[in-house]
Amino acid sequence: MGSDQQIAFFRRELKDGDTWRRAAAAKGLGRVGRDEHAWLLAGSADDRAPEVREAVALGLGRLGVAEAGRTVLPALMRDDDPWVRRRASRAAIRLGLDGPPFADAFSRLLRDPDHHLRINALDGLEALGAPGDVTGLVALLGDPERAVWGRARSLVYRFRDDPAVSAEVVRTAEQGDGETRVRALELLPRHWTDRLLDSLLTGLHDQSAEVRIAVAGRLADVADARTSAALATALETERDAHVAASFLRRLAERGEEQVTDPATRWLDDAVAGPSAAYALGVVGTRAAAGVLRTAVTDSALPGRTRAAAAKAIGQAGRWDAVWLLLPLLDDPDGDVRAGAVDGLDKLVDDGLRPWERRPVARALVSHLAADPNTTWQTHNALIGLAEALPALRRIVDRTPSPDVRAAALSLLDTDNATDEHTDQDLPRFVHALDDPDETVRHHATQGLAHWLAATARRPHDEQRLRTRLTAIASEAPGEGTRAAAVEALRALEACRPSPP
């Protein structure tokens, strides 16, 4: 059937067919019709069957005749049937229709119970370059559908300088409910905090846990006695563990020693316990240190809490911290072992006492080889511990684990540590250039580049090494390895000749 015959058939069906035939005819005209048939479709926009009205809206969008759509789509966007509203709103966007009738129609759809229509409303207003109904728009910041609230947030941000939009965001940040208020707070710049202060302090007791957490975060910018007292008071009556965790951290960051008692009370909670341990470590008082000493060995506490306590002990850095943490490297709980490594990392970073360096180095090197779950955490803790280098060299030569070998090679890198035996590390780097593991090859290449730059000594088999590095620079799968090979070649060129 040719196009003219099809169009004639669709026209007859649109007039005389039953519901499904009229709907099929409207869709058919949308596919094969010409501009003039858009007006024919518009004439059926008041059909008694919603299936036909939906098909009319779909066809109008496909035919692309804006003026025909302009006459009927605003009414179809108010239709009782959600599918008609959905098709009509998409057609209006597709046709690029603008003006007050469409701005109003999209604004109404902001409150539609169908989330697809709320999405269409936001897309339509975005295309129109208008915020629409400001109250309805800002209210969608709390929509349960991410596709809705994400679009609403983008549109609000686009029109953030519009006085009406700005005023509604502020009102919502002060008085809104739940997620709507949280996202309004996120949209306001930090310099608005002082203006919002009274509502933020009141918000510490809001019925929504999300709001209480959000306002506590916002109050981090206000370090005064009134705010600290309000946080402490709110923490005393708080029953939600997630909120308590937030309050504990905020008070600790202020250095408020009054956080010690509530932190101790929350320590055995699986959710708030890690934050309570963190708070005790930051405060660092004698009383807080005593609680942490007990916590790290209390097997009744959750592993994550004991891990946080171990890290906090390292953070506090008291005289016995090293001796409390070293036994925890053998704890049966992996979280606790990781927390002990983090605590020791902090102590190493802050500077160990001379008599602590060898025991810590010895324990961490043993842990590097023994615990595959904390390999790179342990690597980080070992950086700067020259006392660990002899044992690390033995690990490079003997370990079957590629991850451990890579970590140990990285620690032999002259960027991390050097000693009187650093000159002997060259064969280790060169040998590892052919390791089966890409991570090992990467750290070997990088370590070699730094070794050549630091020692300025040409290797005896220079030509063979140059050939290998050239191959790595062009063939290695990792961009970082290729870059390290290029760096090594440059360092090799700058080296002084080998002695005869």
Side-chain angles (χ1 to χ4, degrees):
M1 187 184 294
S3 292
D4 288 341
Q5 291 174 299
Q6 282 184 306
I7 289 170
F9 173 75
F10 289 145
R11 293 183 67 168
R12 288 194 301 273
E13 291 291 288
L14 187 61
K15 180 180 180 181
D16 299 324
D18 62 20
T19 294
W20 295 110
R21 291 165 66 185
R22 294 198 310 278
K27 292 177 183 177
L29 280 176
R31 284 194 303 271
V32 303
R34 296 183 289 272
D35 285 1
E36 62 267 24
H37 300 120
W39 297 99
L40 182 63
L41 284 177
S44 296
D46 59 352
D47 192 283
R48 65 186 179 278
E51 295 85 355
V52 178
R53 300 195 299 275
E54 177 192 345
V56 165
L58 178 64
L60 286 169
R62 286 175 173 172
L63 287 176
V65 180
E67 288 309 311
R70 192 179 297 279
T71 61
V72 296
L73 286 176
L76 292 177
M77 290 169 71
R78 296 192 300 270
D79 198 277
D80 290 339
D81 187 276
W83 280 96
V84 177
R85 298 196 300 276
R86 191 185 297 188
R87 295 295 190 191
S89 56
R90 293 311 304 175
I93 295 170
R94 186 171 183 174
L95 294 172
L97 300 176
D98 55 12
F102 291 95
D104 291 344
F106 283 125
S107 289
R108 280 193 301 273
L109 293 179
L110 290 172
R111 304 174 187 274
D112 199 282
D114 184 333
H115 80 273
H116 295 96
L117 280 156
R118 300 195 297 277
I119 291 171
N120 289 354
L122 291 161
D123 287 347
L125 291 169
E126 177 72 31
L128 288 176
D133 172 26
V134 169
T135 303
L137 171 62
V138 175
L140 289 184
L141 292 173
D143 196 278
E145 297 286 341
R146 182 179 180 86
V148 176
W149 67 254
R151 283 172 166 84
R153 183 173 60 183
S154 296
L155 197 58
V156 169
Y157 185 79
R158 177 179 174 182
F159 292 99
R160 62 192 182 280
D161 294 330
D162 181 302
V165 174
S166 176
E168 183 60 21
V169 171
V170 171
R171 188 199 68 77
T172 304
E174 293 178 328
Q175 305 170 26
D177 296 322
E179 287 290 350
T180 312
R181 184 176 182 183
V182 171
R183 293 186 181 125
L185 280 168
E186 292 170 351
L187 280 165
L188 288 174
R190 307 306 294 186
H191 66 260
W192 277 82
T193 300
D194 285 344
R195 173 175 172 176
L196 299 171
L197 184 57
D198 288 342
S199 66
L200 293 174
L201 294 175
T202 303
L204 291 171
H205 301 278
D206 193 272
Q207 63 180 358
S208 164
E210 291 79 8
V211 170
R212 300 199 297 277
I213 292 172
V215 297
R218 193 72 186 226
L219 287 169
D221 294 338
V222 187
D224 61 16
R226 178 190 177 200
T227 304
S228 296
L231 269 169
T233 300
L235 179 58
E236 287 296 330
T237 58
E238 185 55 60
R239 295 295 176 265
D240 185 286
H242 292 92
V243 180
S246 175
F247 288 2
L248 286 164
R249 286 183 171 271
R250 300 304 176 188
L251 279 168
E253 287 159 2
R254 293 165 178 266
E256 296 291 341
E257 293 186 8
Q258 60 189 320
V259 77
T260 303
D261 287 343
T264 303
R265 289 197 302 273
W266 280 100
L267 200 58
D268 62 354
D269 184 271
V271 172
S275 294
Y278 165 81
L280 291 166
V282 172
V283 170
T285 61
R286 185 176 300 176
V291 174
L292 289 173
R293 286 190 192 97
T294 303
V296 290
T297 57
D298 185 353
S299 59
L301 291 177
R304 288 180 62 249
T305 299
R306 292 178 62 213
K311 187 174 180 179
I313 285 173
Q315 177 78 31
R318 297 182 71 86
W319 66 271
D320 57 349
V322 163
W323 316 112
L324 289 168
L325 294 178
L326 288 181
L328 298 179
L329 293 176
D330 297 318
D331 195 273
D333 190 304
D335 285 334
V336 177
R337 296 195 300 273
V341 172
D342 285 340
L344 289 167
D345 186 4
K346 181 61 179 171
L347 290 170
V348 172
D349 192 46
D350 288 343
L352 295 171
R353 298 170 181 87
W355 57 87
E356 295 172 336
R357 294 181 65 85
R358 287 189 184 281
V360 170
R362 186 165 52 249
L364 286 175
V365 172
S366 296
H367 193 68
L368 179 71
D371 190 347
N373 296 317
T374 60
T375 298
W376 290 98
Q377 279 177 272
T378 309
H379 160 276
N380 295 341
L382 280 163
I383 293 174
L385 273 180
E387 291 81 358
L389 294 176
L392 288 169
R393 292 185 176 102
R394 289 192 293 274
I395 283 180
V396 170
D397 297 339
R398 300 172 186 173
T399 182
S401 166
D403 241 13
V404 173
R405 191 158 58 251
L409 274 170
S410 175
L411 289 163
L412 296 182
D413 188 327
T414 55
D415 272 12
N416 288 327
T418 58
D419 66 359
E420 67 273 17
H421 300 295
T422 293
D423 284 354
Q424 301 168 18
D425 290 332
L426 177 63
R428 293 182 174 89
F429 291 127
V430 173
H431 178 73
L433 294 179
D434 296 310
D435 195 278
D437 185 84
E438 165 63 17
T439 304
V440 175
R441 295 196 301 273
H442 169 75
H443 285 290
T445 309
Q446 191 174 65
L448 176 62
H450 297 160
W451 188 95
L452 291 169
T455 65
R457 292 179 54 187
R458 289 183 185 272
H460 289 290
D461 199 354
E462 176 185 340
Q463 189 52 49
R464 182 177 177 277
L465 179 58
R466 188 186 305 277
T467 301
R468 184 70 185 101
L469 288 172
T470 301
I472 293 173
S474 60
E475 299 170 4
E479 182 181 347
T481 306
R482 296 195 300 273
V486 171
E487 183 184 353
L489 285 167
R490 282 199 297 264
L492 188 58
E493 289 298 328
C495 287
R496 60 180 178 267
S498 298

mmCIF file of all heavy atoms in Angstrom, residues 173-176 181 185 193 195-208 211-216 219 226-227 230-231 233-234 237-238 247:
data_model
loop_
_atom_site.group_PDB
_atom_site.id
_atom_site.type_symbol
_atom_site.label_atom_id
_atom_site.label_comp_id
_atom_site.label_asym_id
_atom_site.label_seq_id
_atom_site.Cartn_x
_atom_site.Cartn_y
_atom_site.Cartn_z
ATOM 1 N N ALA A 173 15.490 25.417 53.460
ATOM 2 C CA ALA A 173 16.643 25.078 54.297
ATOM 3 C C ALA A 173 16.364 25.364 55.767
ATOM 4 O O ALA A 173 16.911 24.712 56.651
ATOM 5 C CB ALA A 173 17.870 25.855 53.831
ATOM 6 N N GLU A 174 15.499 26.323 56.050
ATOM 7 C CA GLU A 174 15.166 26.676 57.426
ATOM 8 C C GLU A 174 13.992 25.879 57.977
ATOM 9 O O GLU A 174 13.978 25.528 59.159
ATOM 10 C CB GLU A 174 14.845 28.170 57.516
ATOM 11 C CG GLU A 174 16.047 29.062 57.258
ATOM 12 C CD GLU A 174 15.694 30.537 57.293
ATOM 13 O OE1 GLU A 174 14.550 30.885 56.916
ATOM 14 O OE2 GLU A 174 16.544 31.338 57.697
ATOM 15 N N GLN A 175 13.019 25.565 57.109
ATOM 16 C CA GLN A 175 11.760 25.006 57.609
ATOM 17 C C GLN A 175 11.321 23.729 56.910
ATOM 18 O O GLN A 175 10.297 23.152 57.271
ATOM 19 C CB GLN A 175 10.632 26.040 57.440
ATOM 20 C CG GLN A 175 10.929 27.381 58.077
ATOM 21 C CD GLN A 175 9.895 28.428 57.673
ATOM 22 O OE1 GLN A 175 8.761 28.114 57.336
ATOM 23 N NE2 GLN A 175 10.299 29.693 57.689
ATOM 24 N N GLY A 176 12.065 23.278 55.910
ATOM 25 C CA GLY A 176 11.637 22.125 55.115
ATOM 26 C C GLY A 176 11.654 20.823 55.879
ATOM 27 O O GLY A 176 12.069 20.751 57.041
ATOM 28 N N ARG A 181 14.837 19.399 52.892
ATOM 29 C CA ARG A 181 15.614 20.370 53.655
ATOM 30 C C ARG A 181 17.115 20.092 53.534
ATOM 31 O O ARG A 181 17.921 21.016 53.386
ATOM 32 C CB ARG A 181 15.193 20.327 55.125
ATOM 33 C CG ARG A 181 15.881 21.387 55.976
ATOM 34 C CD ARG A 181 15.359 21.379 57.400
ATOM 35 N NE ARG A 181 15.987 22.431 58.192
ATOM 36 C CZ ARG A 181 15.768 22.629 59.487
ATOM 37 N NH1 ARG A 181 14.913 21.835 60.135
ATOM 38 N NH2 ARG A 181 16.380 23.603 60.133
ATOM 39 N N LEU A 185 19.849 22.694 52.006
ATOM 40 C CA LEU A 185 21.051 23.109 52.742
ATOM 41 C C LEU A 185 22.305 22.902 51.908
ATOM 42 O O LEU A 185 23.221 23.733 51.900
ATOM 43 C CB LEU A 185 21.170 22.315 54.040
ATOM 44 C CG LEU A 185 20.301 22.774 55.208
ATOM 45 C CD1 LEU A 185 20.308 21.730 56.319
ATOM 46 C CD2 LEU A 185 20.786 24.117 55.744
ATOM 47 N N THR A 193 25.735 30.269 56.291
ATOM 48 C CA THR A 193 25.572 29.551 57.561
ATOM 49 C C THR A 193 25.183 30.479 58.704
ATOM 50 O O THR A 193 24.306 30.161 59.513
ATOM 51 C CB THR A 193 26.857 28.788 57.904
ATOM 52 O OG1 THR A 193 27.129 27.850 56.845
ATOM 53 C CG2 THR A 193 26.706 28.037 59.215
ATOM 54 N N ARG A 195 23.535 33.242 58.648
ATOM 55 C CA ARG A 195 22.132 33.649 58.527
ATOM 56 C C ARG A 195 21.193 32.521 58.953
ATOM 57 O O ARG A 195 20.117 32.769 59.500
ATOM 58 C CB ARG A 195 21.842 34.079 57.091
ATOM 59 C CG ARG A 195 20.373 34.349 56.835
ATOM 60 C CD ARG A 195 20.104 34.883 55.455
ATOM 61 N NE ARG A 195 18.677 34.947 55.180
ATOM 62 C CZ ARG A 195 18.149 35.443 54.076
ATOM 63 N NH1 ARG A 195 18.933 35.945 53.129
ATOM 64 N NH2 ARG A 195 16.835 35.452 53.890
ATOM 65 N N LEU A 196 21.609 31.285 58.700
ATOM 66 C CA LEU A 196 20.759 30.132 59.011
ATOM 67 C C LEU A 196 20.941 29.625 60.436
ATOM 68 O O LEU A 196 20.287 28.652 60.845
ATOM 69 C CB LEU A 196 21.096 28.977 58.050
ATOM 70 C CG LEU A 196 20.898 29.207 56.554
ATOM 71 C CD1 LEU A 196 21.497 28.043 55.769
ATOM 72 C CD2 LEU A 196 19.422 29.364 56.223
ATOM 73 N N LEU A 197 21.807 30.266 61.222
ATOM 74 C CA LEU A 197 22.269 29.682 62.470
ATOM 75 C C LEU A 197 21.136 29.266 63.406
ATOM 76 O O LEU A 197 21.126 28.153 63.936
ATOM 77 C CB LEU A 197 23.217 30.647 63.190
ATOM 78 C CG LEU A 197 23.857 30.110 64.469
ATOM 79 C CD1 LEU A 197 24.616 28.812 64.183
ATOM 80 C CD2 LEU A 197 24.779 31.153 65.081
ATOM 81 N N ASP A 198 20.172 30.138 63.646
ATOM 82 C CA ASP A 198 19.092 29.804 64.579
ATOM 83 C C ASP A 198 18.332 28.563 64.132
ATOM 84 O O ASP A 198 18.023 27.681 64.944
ATOM 85 C CB ASP A 198 18.134 30.984 64.731
ATOM 86 C CG ASP A 198 18.752 32.127 65.534
ATOM 87 O OD1 ASP A 198 19.748 31.883 66.245
ATOM 88 O OD2 ASP A 198 18.244 33.266 65.429
ATOM 89 N N SER A 199 18.035 28.490 62.838
ATOM 90 C CA SER A 199 17.296 27.322 62.340
ATOM 91 C C SER A 199 18.166 26.066 62.386
ATOM 92 O O SER A 199 17.661 24.961 62.595
ATOM 93 C CB SER A 199 16.802 27.565 60.911
ATOM 94 O OG SER A 199 17.884 27.667 60.007
ATOM 95 N N LEU A 200 19.479 26.208 62.218
ATOM 96 C CA LEU A 200 20.369 25.057 62.308
ATOM 97 C C LEU A 200 20.406 24.511 63.729
ATOM 98 O O LEU A 200 20.362 23.288 63.943
ATOM 99 C CB LEU A 200 21.771 25.438 61.851
ATOM 100 C CG LEU A 200 21.944 25.786 60.363
ATOM 101 C CD1 LEU A 200 23.358 26.276 60.084
ATOM 102 C CD2 LEU A 200 21.625 24.575 59.480
ATOM 103 N N LEU A 201 20.486 25.394 64.692
ATOM 104 C CA LEU A 201 20.513 24.942 66.084
ATOM 105 C C LEU A 201 19.212 24.242 66.446
ATOM 106 O O LEU A 201 19.214 23.205 67.133
ATOM 107 C CB LEU A 201 20.762 26.130 67.018
ATOM 108 C CG LEU A 201 22.145 26.787 66.877
ATOM 109 C CD1 LEU A 201 22.238 28.029 67.750
ATOM 110 C CD2 LEU A 201 23.251 25.800 67.224
ATOM 111 N N THR A 202 18.098 24.795 65.978
ATOM 112 C CA THR A 202 16.807 24.126 66.201
ATOM 113 C C THR A 202 16.770 22.782 65.487
ATOM 114 O O THR A 202 16.222 21.792 65.991
ATOM 115 C CB THR A 202 15.664 25.016 65.692
ATOM 116 O OG1 THR A 202 15.722 26.278 66.352
ATOM 117 C CG2 THR A 202 14.311 24.367 65.938
ATOM 118 N N GLY A 203 17.402 22.729 64.293
ATOM 119 C CA GLY A 203 17.403 21.506 63.498
ATOM 120 C C GLY A 203 18.132 20.344 64.138
ATOM 121 O O GLY A 203 17.964 19.191 63.713
ATOM 122 N N LEU A 204 18.961 20.604 65.149
ATOM 123 C CA LEU A 204 19.624 19.512 65.853
ATOM 124 C C LEU A 204 18.628 18.594 66.550
ATOM 125 O O LEU A 204 18.972 17.471 66.931
ATOM 126 C CB LEU A 204 20.617 20.070 66.883
ATOM 127 C CG LEU A 204 21.857 20.776 66.319
ATOM 128 C CD1 LEU A 204 22.629 21.452 67.434
ATOM 129 C CD2 LEU A 204 22.744 19.786 65.575
ATOM 130 N N HIS A 205 17.387 19.079 66.718
ATOM 131 C CA HIS A 205 16.340 18.283 67.362
ATOM 132 C C HIS A 205 15.209 17.971 66.369
ATOM 133 O O HIS A 205 14.122 17.556 66.790
ATOM 134 C CB HIS A 205 15.778 19.026 68.574
ATOM 135 C CG HIS A 205 16.828 19.330 69.605
ATOM 136 N ND1 HIS A 205 17.257 18.413 70.541
ATOM 137 C CD2 HIS A 205 17.550 20.460 69.825
ATOM 138 C CE1 HIS A 205 18.201 18.960 71.298
ATOM 139 N NE2 HIS A 205 18.397 20.197 70.896
ATOM 140 N N ASP A 206 15.459 18.124 65.076
ATOM 141 C CA ASP A 206 14.442 17.837 64.066
ATOM 142 C C ASP A 206 14.042 16.366 64.123
ATOM 143 O O ASP A 206 14.850 15.499 64.507
ATOM 144 C CB ASP A 206 14.998 18.170 62.674
ATOM 145 C CG ASP A 206 13.929 18.198 61.603
ATOM 146 O OD1 ASP A 206 13.651 17.122 61.019
ATOM 147 O OD2 ASP A 206 13.369 19.267 61.345
ATOM 148 N N GLN A 207 12.811 16.065 63.742
ATOM 149 C CA GLN A 207 12.342 14.680 63.789
ATOM 150 C C GLN A 207 13.049 13.800 62.762
ATOM 151 O O GLN A 207 13.091 12.572 62.894
ATOM 152 C CB GLN A 207 10.835 14.616 63.567
ATOM 153 C CG GLN A 207 10.388 15.111 62.189
ATOM 154 C CD GLN A 207 8.878 15.038 62.016
ATOM 155 O OE1 GLN A 207 8.167 14.577 62.906
ATOM 156 N NE2 GLN A 207 8.395 15.491 60.863
ATOM 157 N N SER A 208 13.636 14.405 61.717
ATOM 158 C CA SER A 208 14.326 13.643 60.677
ATOM 159 C C SER A 208 15.795 13.461 61.036
ATOM 160 O O SER A 208 16.522 14.430 61.257
ATOM 161 C CB SER A 208 14.216 14.359 59.323
ATOM 162 O OG SER A 208 15.169 13.854 58.409
ATOM 163 N N VAL A 211 18.091 15.257 58.599
ATOM 164 C CA VAL A 211 18.213 16.696 58.854
ATOM 165 C C VAL A 211 19.181 16.945 60.001
ATOM 166 O O VAL A 211 20.042 17.834 59.926
ATOM 167 C CB VAL A 211 16.835 17.331 59.147
ATOM 168 C CG1 VAL A 211 16.994 18.763 59.647
ATOM 169 C CG2 VAL A 211 15.966 17.306 57.894
ATOM 170 N N ARG A 212 19.085 16.165 61.057
ATOM 171 C CA ARG A 212 19.971 16.371 62.201
ATOM 172 C C ARG A 212 21.439 16.202 61.790
ATOM 173 O O ARG A 212 22.308 16.973 62.195
ATOM 174 C CB ARG A 212 19.602 15.412 63.346
ATOM 175 C CG ARG A 212 18.171 15.594 63.863
ATOM 176 C CD ARG A 212 17.952 15.011 65.232
ATOM 177 N NE ARG A 212 18.132 13.591 65.337
ATOM 178 C CZ ARG A 212 17.216 12.660 65.032
ATOM 179 N NH1 ARG A 212 16.030 13.043 64.536
ATOM 180 N NH2 ARG A 212 17.462 11.377 65.197
ATOM 181 N N ILE A 213 21.694 15.205 60.969
ATOM 182 C CA ILE A 213 23.071 14.989 60.487
ATOM 183 C C ILE A 213 23.516 16.150 59.603
ATOM 184 O O ILE A 213 24.646 16.650 59.716
ATOM 185 C CB ILE A 213 23.167 13.657 59.724
ATOM 186 C CG1 ILE A 213 22.977 12.490 60.690
ATOM 187 C CG2 ILE A 213 24.494 13.547 58.993
ATOM 188 C CD1 ILE A 213 22.858 11.136 60.009
ATOM 189 N N ALA A 214 22.628 16.602 58.716
ATOM 190 C CA ALA A 214 22.986 17.681 57.787
ATOM 191 C C ALA A 214 23.269 18.988 58.517
ATOM 192 O O ALA A 214 24.231 19.698 58.195
ATOM 193 C CB ALA A 214 21.871 17.875 56.760
ATOM 194 N N VAL A 215 22.440 19.334 59.498
ATOM 195 C CA VAL A 215 22.665 20.602 60.187
ATOM 196 C C VAL A 215 23.923 20.532 61.056
ATOM 197 O O VAL A 215 24.652 21.520 61.198
ATOM 198 C CB VAL A 215 21.430 21.035 61.015
ATOM 199 C CG1 VAL A 215 20.236 21.277 60.101
ATOM 200 C CG2 VAL A 215 21.093 20.037 62.099
ATOM 201 N N ALA A 216 24.214 19.354 61.615
ATOM 202 C CA ALA A 216 25.458 19.214 62.370
ATOM 203 C C ALA A 216 26.663 19.435 61.465
ATOM 204 O O ALA A 216 27.645 20.087 61.853
ATOM 205 C CB ALA A 216 25.532 17.838 63.019
ATOM 206 N N LEU A 219 27.028 23.086 60.797
ATOM 207 C CA LEU A 219 27.513 23.819 61.968
ATOM 208 C C LEU A 219 29.021 23.671 62.181
ATOM 209 O O LEU A 219 29.598 24.337 63.039
ATOM 210 C CB LEU A 219 26.776 23.347 63.219
ATOM 211 C CG LEU A 219 25.315 23.820 63.328
ATOM 212 C CD1 LEU A 219 24.600 23.088 64.455
ATOM 213 C CD2 LEU A 219 25.248 25.325 63.529
ATOM 214 N N ARG A 226 28.290 28.690 71.930
ATOM 215 C CA ARG A 226 26.846 28.424 71.827
ATOM 216 C C ARG A 226 26.584 27.180 70.976
ATOM 217 O O ARG A 226 25.782 26.311 71.341
ATOM 218 C CB ARG A 226 26.154 29.648 71.216
ATOM 219 C CG ARG A 226 24.660 29.471 71.011
ATOM 220 C CD ARG A 226 24.101 30.615 70.175
ATOM 221 N NE ARG A 226 22.689 30.466 69.889
ATOM 222 C CZ ARG A 226 22.049 31.090 68.902
ATOM 223 N NH1 ARG A 226 22.708 31.941 68.118
ATOM 224 N NH2 ARG A 226 20.761 30.908 68.715
ATOM 225 N N THR A 227 27.270 27.076 69.853
ATOM 226 C CA THR A 227 27.066 25.935 68.967
ATOM 227 C C THR A 227 27.564 24.651 69.612
ATOM 228 O O THR A 227 26.915 23.598 69.528
ATOM 229 C CB THR A 227 27.803 26.183 67.635
ATOM 230 O OG1 THR A 227 27.345 27.412 67.080
ATOM 231 C CG2 THR A 227 27.545 25.067 66.657
ATOM 232 N N ALA A 230 25.087 23.515 72.133
ATOM 233 C CA ALA A 230 23.888 22.963 71.500
ATOM 234 C C ALA A 230 24.142 21.548 70.991
ATOM 235 O O ALA A 230 23.300 20.652 71.142
ATOM 236 C CB ALA A 230 23.446 23.865 70.351
ATOM 237 N N LEU A 231 25.322 21.314 70.404
ATOM 238 C CA LEU A 231 25.669 19.969 69.938
ATOM 239 C C LEU A 231 25.754 18.993 71.102
ATOM 240 O O LEU A 231 25.260 17.858 71.025
ATOM 241 C CB LEU A 231 27.001 20.012 69.193
ATOM 242 C CG LEU A 231 26.974 20.249 67.684
ATOM 243 C CD1 LEU A 231 28.380 20.529 67.170
ATOM 244 C CD2 LEU A 231 26.373 19.048 66.957
ATOM 245 N N THR A 233 24.291 19.196 74.026
ATOM 246 C CA THR A 233 22.952 18.962 74.573
ATOM 247 C C THR A 233 22.169 17.994 73.692
ATOM 248 O O THR A 233 21.495 17.072 74.186
ATOM 249 C CB THR A 233 22.188 20.296 74.694
ATOM 250 O OG1 THR A 233 22.904 21.166 75.571
ATOM 251 C CG2 THR A 233 20.787 20.072 75.228
ATOM 252 N N ALA A 234 22.272 18.196 72.374
ATOM 253 C CA ALA A 234 21.568 17.312 71.443
ATOM 254 C C ALA A 234 22.100 15.885 71.536
ATOM 255 O O ALA A 234 21.341 14.916 71.473
ATOM 256 C CB ALA A 234 21.713 17.844 70.019
ATOM 257 N N THR A 237 20.631 13.623 74.347
ATOM 258 C CA THR A 237 19.288 13.054 74.187
ATOM 259 C C THR A 237 19.141 12.239 72.903
ATOM 260 O O THR A 237 18.064 11.715 72.621
ATOM 261 C CB THR A 237 18.238 14.180 74.183
ATOM 262 O OG1 THR A 237 18.533 15.107 73.129
ATOM 263 C CG2 THR A 237 18.244 14.919 75.513
ATOM 264 N N GLU A 238 20.207 12.160 72.104
ATOM 265 C CA GLU A 238 20.117 11.477 70.811
ATOM 266 C C GLU A 238 19.989 9.971 70.997
ATOM 267 O O GLU A 238 20.652 9.366 71.837
ATOM 268 C CB GLU A 238 21.361 11.799 69.966
ATOM 269 C CG GLU A 238 21.315 11.235 68.559
ATOM 270 C CD GLU A 238 20.076 11.675 67.796
ATOM 271 O OE1 GLU A 238 19.883 12.901 67.615
ATOM 272 O OE2 GLU A 238 19.294 10.783 67.408
ATOM 273 N N PHE A 247 27.355 13.605 65.514
ATOM 274 C CA PHE A 247 27.541 14.573 66.612
ATOM 275 C C PHE A 247 28.882 14.344 67.316
ATOM 276 O O PHE A 247 29.593 15.293 67.667
ATOM 277 C CB PHE A 247 26.402 14.453 67.616
ATOM 278 C CG PHE A 247 25.079 14.992 67.131
ATOM 279 C CD1 PHE A 247 24.931 15.513 65.847
ATOM 280 C CD2 PHE A 247 23.967 14.998 67.967
ATOM 281 C CE1 PHE A 247 23.713 16.016 65.413
ATOM 282 C CE2 PHE A 247 22.743 15.498 67.545
ATOM 283 C CZ PHE A 247 22.620 16.006 66.262
#
